[in-house]
Amino acid sequence: MNHGKQYRITTGMGLLLILCGYLTNRFLIVKPNRILEGTVINMPAVIKDKPILFTAFFLLLAGMIFIISKEKIKWYFTSAVVTFVIILFLYGVGLYSQEVITDFTQVARVSLSIGFWFVFLGLMIVLDSSCHYDGNFQVNRLIGFLGIILFFIFVMLNQGYFDQIGIIKEMHIRNEQYWIAVKGHLLLSLIASLMGLFIGVLLSYIGYKHKKYKKYFILVSNGAQVIPTLSFLGLLMIPLTLLAKKYAFLKVLGISGIGYFPALIVLTSYTLLPIINQSITGFETISRDVIISAEAMGMKPMEVFWRIEFPLALPGILSGFKIALVQSTANCILAGLVGGGGLGALLFLGLAQSASDLVALSALTVVMMAMILNGILSVVIGSMKKRKGFI
Amino acid sequence: MIHFKNVSKAYGDHQVLKDIDVSINKGEITVILGPSGCGKSTLLKLINKTILPDEGDIYLNKQNIRDIQDTTLKRSIGYAIQGVGLFPHMSVKENISTVPKLLKWDKRTIDNRVQALMEMMELPETFSKKYPIHLSGGEAQRVGVARALAGNPEILLMDEPFGALDPITRGKLQRKLLNIQKKLHKTIVFVTHDVSEALLLADELILMKDQSILKKDHPYKIVTEAKALLKTFTGGSFAFELLEKFRISDIVDQLTGLQDFDGYCLHEDISLKEVVSEMILQGKSQLTVRNNHQYYRLDFYSLMDLAKRKHYE
Amino acid sequence: MKKILVLIIMVALMFSTFIACDKEEAKGKGPVTVATMIDSEGAILGNMLLTILSENGFETVDKIGLGTPDILRKALETDEVDLVIDYTGSGQYYGAVADAEVWSDPALGYQATYDFDMETNNIIWLSPAPANNTEMLAVKKEFAEANQLKTMADFANYVNQGGEVMLIASSSFASNELGLVGYQNAYGFELTNDQMIVLSHGNTAEMLKALYDGTNGVNVSLVYGTDGSLKEMEMVVLEDPENVPPVYLPTPVLRGELVEQYPELETMFKAVFDTLTLETLQTLNAKVAFDGEDAKTVADAYLKEKGFIK
């Protein structure tokens, strides 16, 4: 019951956040063009204009208050209600933005301001809380409902309901560029993490087998982490440029002082710490008796590695990989400054043009990518552990 | 079958085995008994090349094991340890199948073998899909022994395998080992520091202390002729361990049945050790027992003799 | 466990073929790598170059928005990229040595940069656009009317009479002999440190927004000649009859080897750049920065309108 109480509290916090969003002035901003400020709209005004939203919110408030006050409650029902409210909320905002933008030159837009984000975040918190019934995290339920929300967002996006929202507008305008950036960003982060995985697991295994090297590897990976990203990129530029000048074939591979390669090196270096840390732990938590039995059975060292040590350390290794991937996705933004492309380039363009919606688009995309990757890997690791009967 | 010739082993300054010379017979349970640190585990590990000797040679069936490839040797010797070391990410069935898979047996043969071993170790069929984390200590060690025997090795090495189990489970497993040995006739080298266990299991007993072998003989001989020596290893109640080896049903063929009897008698087929216990409890030196619808009289003073004679058959 | 490994390897292989597939199909001439800084004008002009090259049968590699100005220059010097948009006045930072008067003159400044880069780096500055995208100061229209400011001299007066000033500018401008320092010398005024907000970069869009909102009391801002938002934001540029800052004409800059290989590029680009006047660039920039249109769309629309492409 303790857990149940905890999640009633978080539901309450979510509702509080929604209230803040409601009370603040800055819910939506209607901007006549990209740069200038425009008119600030608060939530009550939007609700008055859109009775659909009004009913949805009434439902939500009544429902949530009812829930918090009851002991035995059908949490499943709560999740469904919140999902419905979220979809209705987004739909209402989309519809409102459609109607409030009266000029058809495609210049004016509606920006989502802090009030909107408070409400949205609050709703998400309530949804997440409702999936923690009695301390048991119902991952599948959360994923299911998030899936439903995403589906509806996708449909509404396609139907054009969000076309006047600033972030979406920026995306539509430079659609091709955006998706190339997403692809490139993902690719760079993934490749850096995979390289880090390969190098990291190798070093971890050596450090696990020969304890004397372990501290050197940990030292190096720690050291890499400490170097600030931009300085790191700067430091690499000179030697890489010299190398590229000397050996022409490197240029074909795209290896030089600028572009994706220095970014790749920097990102890979950063992945070493989490991967090595988690992998070494993964290897070291293997019981000595298991290894003794395996060797005594006549398994060759390679067989011991592939059949016993690697599979047993895998959850640990993948945890490290998960951290590395999320970290790389975030760090990859800076790659945009040195010609590495990705969403960073878009973000800095937004900064250069003082276009907050473009900045928001890039930043939000990176966050979503990181969250999705984190989610996928967490599920994989969790099911791996459960299936194989470890703790 | 296994011969140690002038074997010595040291770790740095610390001498673990000094000039060891000993033979281990085929088809018997040879128990190496000694206190912690006497080198008995090291001796065991030299047999399957887990450790290599500094000096001397070890022969297996007259062949120097130095000339046998490591993996071939290890795959033909079963190894069971105290911590069992079951692979946590594999089911019971997969664990047991490990060596057969390494030996590249075909699937059908492996499945049959696993089933047979599980039956032999009294593991229910439902266990085959279970994972080690769900097993109790006793169950895990049963799987461990099954796994060690899976490849049908000639030799089985056991390093204090039952040491971490509770006394009842330990007793069950010891008896199980004796049982299966009756059918399998493996060459078992068993290391322990527990005198009762040693006396119970051994066909041949090796006493080790301070990195060398003090005595090697039949346990009965050691008990009767080297009592003093044995006492330095234990308290001294070792007669009971010998008596525990046999049950009433094992010795009745040496006794004459009574015509008829009326009165109190023991009718369960208990070990001779438990018979003595009953005698003490009842304050009698003679008890009547029933076995197979026949009554027999057991006398306290002749019990040891009966056991000895049974052993030497 | 082996299955997961195989999966990982497969995914990795898939992605590497992904990268390989991103390369454009071979067309004929080229490839020419076009790169620009991360700003709207660079994006527009860069895309114009890309489209022109494409239409004339060149294979291109798009590196618009490559990085900071330093990165861009370095990329050109190390042959990483082939064609960039740069500004004639920047020559002084790359090593061309000349007096202040030279930089204040469009033709002389161009020549100085041209000579330097051709001799030292075999980098050729092609025909520039007749638009001086130089550094000036701008104020809000109402502020100008209220204080009767039309020229830099008026502004100097205002400052000297103790008027409240908060200037927002880039650090390179603020410390430049031919920038703020030059203005101060030429018109006889001086701003103290508390009268300035100095940013490490030169993104005027941000500065103009600050000026528009009056953030931190900003009432005068650095602005570039071709900035698009001035009319919509109702701002005026203070006239500079002394021509203090160097002249910055946007120019396509090409590596020497490519000029030799494809001499037609010079005439192709000149035809377009000759039409890019100050007003034209202001309009185009406004479309991208203000209206939020995509630079490529704006560039292509302009080229079509002028008949450079079909």
Side-chain angles (χ1 to χ4, degrees), chain B residues 29-46:
Chain B
I29 302 181
T30 304
V31 176
I32 307 176
L33 172 68
S36 306
C38 67
K40 55 192 193 296
S41 288
T42 311
L43 197 63
L44 196 73
K45 290 181 197 168
L46 285 165

Side-chain angles (χ1 to χ4, degrees), chain B residues 205-220:
Chain B
L205 182 58
I206 298 176
L207 298 180
M208 266 191 86
K209 202 170 186 184
D210 298 329
Q211 297 82 46
S212 39
I213 293 181
L214 300 182
K215 196 107 176 101
K216 175 179 175 280
D217 212 334
H218 301 295
Y220 279 94

